[in-house]
Amino acid sequence: MGDFVTLDHGSGGLASHRLINELFAKQLGDAAPDQIDDAAVLTVPAGRLAVSTDSFVVDPLIFPGGDIGSLAVHGTVNDVAMRGARPLWLTAGFVLEEGLPLDTLARIVESMGRAAGKAGVRIVAGDTKVVGRGQADGLFINTTGIGVINDGLDIGVDKARPGDALIISGTMGDHGATVMAARSGLGLDAPIKSDSAALNHMAQALVEACGNGLRLMTDPTRGGLATAVKEIAQASGVAVELEQAAIPVDPAVDGVCELLGLDPLYLANEGKMVVVVEQGLAEKALETLRGFALGSSAARIGSIVGNTPGRVWLNTAVGGRRVLEMLTGEPLPRIC
Amino acid sequence: MGDFVTLDHGSGGLASHRLINELFAKQLGDAAPDQIDDAAVLTVPAGRLAVSTDSFVVDPLIFPGGDIGSLAVHGTVNDVAMRGARPLWLTAGFVLEEGLPLDTLARIVESMGRAAGKAGVRIVAGDTKVVGRGQADGLFINTTGIGVINDGLDIGVDKARPGDALIISGTMGDHGATVMAARSGLGLDAPIKSDSAALNHMAQALVEACGNGLRLMTDPTRGGLATAVKEIAQASGVAVELEQAAIPVDPAVDGVCELLGLDPLYLANEGKMVVVVEQGLAEKALETLRGFALGSSAARIGSIVGNTPGRVWLNTAVGGRRVLEMLTGEPLPRIC
């Protein structure tokens, strides 16, 4: 079908149909969307669904540990899973730039199919648009995810209470540091890679282990751990105390951060979760997380406290104490 | 909040939160997405959902009769409605180019809110990413829609049978001709405008009027009427005979098409539907459509026939007969 994406691939006519049949259907396999009808039909039980949408614009398209295709699956699967839902279905919307090599597109679509299969979600609807050269940067992907929430589960970012434990499922900053290093032009050859991964199976295990002692799960993506914890503090009307020494950071990531002037607490993660559980369940939650490869470095890193609602305190490794705010200042664009 | 979109608006930090609170929440009103949690929670009855996704990249962003915001609502509402579903929820994912005037963004978001309100759908989740100058073209929007399908309804693009009537809800080519004219640089001042509109209320009335005598509904967007009818012929394994003289085309649209060398049968529509019903219900279906302003020019334009499966015949206005194929050749990029 030619070597590059052309405007004709987005026309809705014959070339579009060929792209869908010869690339998307083939690479996504069973996950391929039914493209003929205007919408897919899903059968659901009565109850609650979790729905989330995310557009992915990461630069570069392919990076150590993943690519925009796997990232687009993981990111949305994780957002749905953080609500305690079992993600079942995804939609995928592509905006392609004219001139994108079809090989690159094929590799990314194949990676999406693999990621969806591994996470156990099906891509049920799709859409492709093509814009001219210079009107996009290679390829953007939107994914929207739908999952089913167990009856009776009541978790959310506003549910943290004083006395609760705050846990993180692994090292901080891997994804952000990897993308920034890949883009830095410094020719860094650091042994780091993105943590991009689907959290849904681990999240579901946590829901089963902790029941309603689980207050909330959230994935610290853009804005990093600091921003995610600040959101918890504000939404729940509580303060949070973090222990810097307890926060796991890969030494190689730390090295890249020093070199590039980045703070791992503000860097995006794409396969990690922040968990708040009632105090008595902290050990059980840690054990559950550590039962998964993705959670092997899980650690308790802080506590919810009652004074100064909305405030996040960091007790530093050298014995100081400072306030953490949301990410401001130098933006890190196109990190996901 | 400044006059232009900056990279900081997409960082996930403070500037992102402000953009969401001060623009999206304000303009979308009740339709504003809950942005704090990772996913929205929806309560659904047991049964079938229709789900559709679409990315919108229309150029120009604002055109006679609509803009990318209203178009993004209508397009996805219609795709869900064509499955016979009642669209209830939308998600919205924005990719913004650095430097986009915030006034433009505000106008478009406000227009989305109005369109969603009028269609009776709620925007339940959203996402905003910002890319650098020259890495997108102003603004792209993905919408994903979810609707509930009535029990027992069984329609689809593969359900047409020989003997059925083929109906169109109004004039063909308005949206495509309007966008191409606006972009032509010819300074055309034609009295035409996009037909962009939500079809869900009219579609639901048709479902109620025709029951299972309704075979399918589809909206002829990219690729136009010809491509939509060809898809029906192929999916249902039938042939279709269209009467050119019966196909309504606005004279001003016809004029623009002649000037620009376009064929209205291949131009996108954004507020029209193709309907196939069993023969005996054709009049009832036409009456139902004509009861809506959007369907006032509804007409029966053809029949399903049994020979030559997959073939679409056009009996021309001058007494000839030709085969219609899907759109090929000169693409019309960024029409929606």
Side-chain angles (χ1 to χ4, degrees):
Chain A
M1 51 181 149
D3 295 320
F4 298 94
V5 169
T6 66
L7 290 174
D8 215 19
H9 284 119
S11 65
L14 201 59
S16 301
H17 279 72
R18 283 205 180 128
L19 183 70
I20 290 162
N21 292 333
E22 292 175 20
L23 175 59
F24 288 78
K26 214 174 264 175
Q27 300 290 8
L28 295 178
D30 285 342
D34 168 11
Q35 288 279 351
I36 302 290
D37 267 300
D38 295 302
V41 175
L42 311 175
T43 301
V44 294
R48 292 175 301 159
L49 301 178
V51 175
S52 184
T53 193
D54 232 328
S55 294
F56 295 85
V57 298
V58 67
D59 169 32
L61 294 176
I62 298 169
F63 46 81
D67 55 66
I68 191 171
S70 54
L71 186 65
V73 170
H74 296 151
T76 293
V77 160
N78 292 348
D79 282 346
V80 170
M82 294 302 94
R83 273 296 193 131
R86 283 172 289 115
L88 297 177
W89 303 293
L90 285 185
T91 64
F94 294 83
V95 175
L96 310 179
E97 184 190 8
E98 179 187 17
L100 177 74
L102 282 170
D103 281 355
T104 305
L105 179 60
R107 176 170 167 185
I108 287 166
V109 171
E110 191 180 2
S111 167
M112 283 191 88
R114 261 199 317 274
K118 204 169 161 194
V121 297
R122 209 156 61 85
I123 297 172
V124 294
D127 176 62
T128 305
K129 293 282 159 43
V130 180
V131 299
R133 278 173 206 274
Q135 297 172 349
D137 192 17
L139 164 60
F140 303 144
I141 304 177
N142 175 283
T143 49
T144 300
I146 304 175
V148 173
I149 304 178
N150 290 351
D151 268 359
L153 188 68
D154 184 25
I155 65 176
V157 77
D158 59 343
K159 298 283 190 295
R161 302 180 203 169
D164 290 346
L166 195 143
I167 288 167
I168 187 81
S169 66
T171 53
M172 289 290 95
D174 303 48
H175 176 76
T178 301
V179 171
M180 294 308 288
R183 214 158 65 197
S184 68
L186 293 179
L188 287 179
D189 201 19
I192 63 176
K193 60 175 191 164
S194 170
D195 58 342
S196 180
L199 296 167
N200 54 322
H201 300 308
M202 187 162 73
Q204 207 52 44
L206 205 61
V207 166
E208 281 158 28
C210 297
N212 277 329
L214 179 64
R215 309 291 195 210
L216 67 92
M217 303 182 282
T218 189
D219 55 339
T221 56
R222 274 186 296 178
L225 177 68
T227 302
V229 172
K230 180 77 178 173
E231 284 171 355
I232 294 170
Q234 290 184 335
S236 294
V238 297
V240 179
E241 274 201 47
L242 298 177
E243 304 299 330
Q244 187 167 31
I247 300 172
V249 178
D250 182 286
V253 167
D254 225 8
V256 167
C257 285
E258 280 197 23
L259 211 57
L260 297 177
L262 302 169
D263 180 344
L265 299 192
Y266 285 93
L267 286 182
N269 307 279
E270 295 290 346
K272 299 290 157 51
M273 53 203 274
V274 176
V275 177
V276 176
V277 286
E278 64 175 53
Q279 173 69 25
L281 287 168
E283 277 311 310
K284 189 166 190 183
L286 282 169
E287 268 168 41
T288 305
L289 293 171
R290 288 175 186 149
F292 290 80
L294 286 178
S296 58
S297 311
R300 176 171 179 171
I301 61 168
S303 299
I304 311 299
V305 295
N307 55 352
T308 61
R311 190 55 56 101
V312 179
W313 300 101
L314 181 72
N315 295 323
T316 65
V318 294
R321 180 174 167 88
R322 65 185 176 95
V323 168
L324 287 186
E325 298 293 351
M326 284 191 184
L327 178 66
T328 54
E330 196 58 35
L332 304 174
R334 302 186 58 189
I335 210 75
C336 61
Chain B
M1 54 180 151
D3 295 320
F4 299 95
V5 169
T6 65
L7 290 173
D8 215 19
H9 285 119
S11 65
L14 202 58
S16 302
H17 279 72
R18 284 205 180 129
L19 183 71
I20 289 162
N21 293 333
E22 292 175 21
L23 175 60
F24 288 78
K26 214 174 264 176
Q27 301 289 7
L28 294 178
D30 286 344
D34 168 10
Q35 289 279 352
I36 302 290
D37 267 302
D38 295 303
V41 175
L42 310 176
T43 302
V44 294
R48 292 175 302 159
L49 299 179
V51 175
S52 184
T53 192
D54 231 328
S55 295
F56 294 85
V57 299
V58 66
D59 168 33
L61 294 176
I62 297 170
F63 47 80
D67 56 65
I68 193 172
S70 53
L71 186 65
V73 170
H74 296 151
T76 294
V77 160
N78 292 349
D79 282 347
V80 170
M82 294 303 93
R83 272 297 193 132
R86 283 172 290 117
L88 297 177
W89 304 291
L90 285 184
T91 64
F94 294 83
V95 174
L96 310 179
E97 183 189 8
E98 180 188 16
L100 177 73
L102 282 170
D103 281 354
T104 305
L105 179 61
R107 177 171 167 182
I108 287 166
V109 172
E110 191 181 0
S111 166
M112 284 190 86
R114 261 200 316 274
K118 204 170 161 194
V121 297
R122 210 155 61 84
I123 297 172
V124 294
D127 176 60
T128 305
K129 295 281 160 46
V130 180
V131 300
R133 279 174 205 272
Q135 297 172 349
D137 191 15
L139 163 61
F140 303 144
I141 304 177
N142 175 283
T143 49
T144 301
I146 305 176
V148 173
I149 304 178
N150 290 351
D151 267 1
L153 188 69
D154 184 26
I155 65 176
V157 77
D158 59 343
K159 296 286 191 294
R161 301 181 204 168
D164 290 346
L166 194 143
I167 288 168
I168 186 81
S169 66
T171 53
M172 289 289 95
D174 303 48
H175 177 76
T178 301
V179 171
M180 294 307 287
R183 212 158 65 197
S184 67
L186 293 179
L188 287 178
D189 200 18
I192 62 176
K193 60 175 190 164
S194 169
D195 58 342
S196 179
L199 295 166
N200 53 322
H201 300 308
M202 186 162 74
Q204 207 53 44
L206 205 62
V207 166
E208 281 158 29
C210 298
N212 276 329
L214 178 65
R215 309 292 195 211
L216 68 90
M217 302 182 283
T218 188
D219 56 338
T221 55
R222 275 186 297 177
L225 177 67
T227 302
V229 173
K230 180 76 179 176
E231 285 172 354
I232 294 171
Q234 290 183 335
S236 294
V238 297
V240 179
E241 272 201 48
L242 297 177
E243 304 299 328
Q244 187 167 31
I247 300 172
V249 179
D250 181 285
V253 168
D254 225 9
V256 167
C257 284
E258 280 197 23
L259 211 58
L260 297 178
L262 303 169
D263 180 344
L265 299 192
Y266 286 94
L267 286 183
N269 308 278
E270 294 291 345
K272 299 292 157 51
M273 53 202 277
V274 175
V275 177
V276 176
V277 287
E278 64 174 53
Q279 173 71 24
L281 286 169
E283 277 312 310
K284 189 167 190 181
L286 282 169
E287 268 168 41
T288 305
L289 293 172
R290 289 177 186 148
F292 289 80
L294 285 178
S296 57
S297 311
R300 174 169 180 173
I301 61 168
S303 299
I304 310 300
V305 295
N307 54 352
T308 61
R311 188 56 57 97
V312 179
W313 300 99
L314 181 72
N315 296 323
T316 65
V318 295
R321 181 173 167 89
R322 64 186 177 94
V323 168
L324 288 187
E325 297 293 352
M326 285 189 183
L327 178 67
T328 55
E330 195 58 34
L332 304 174
R334 301 186 58 189
I335 209 75
C336 60

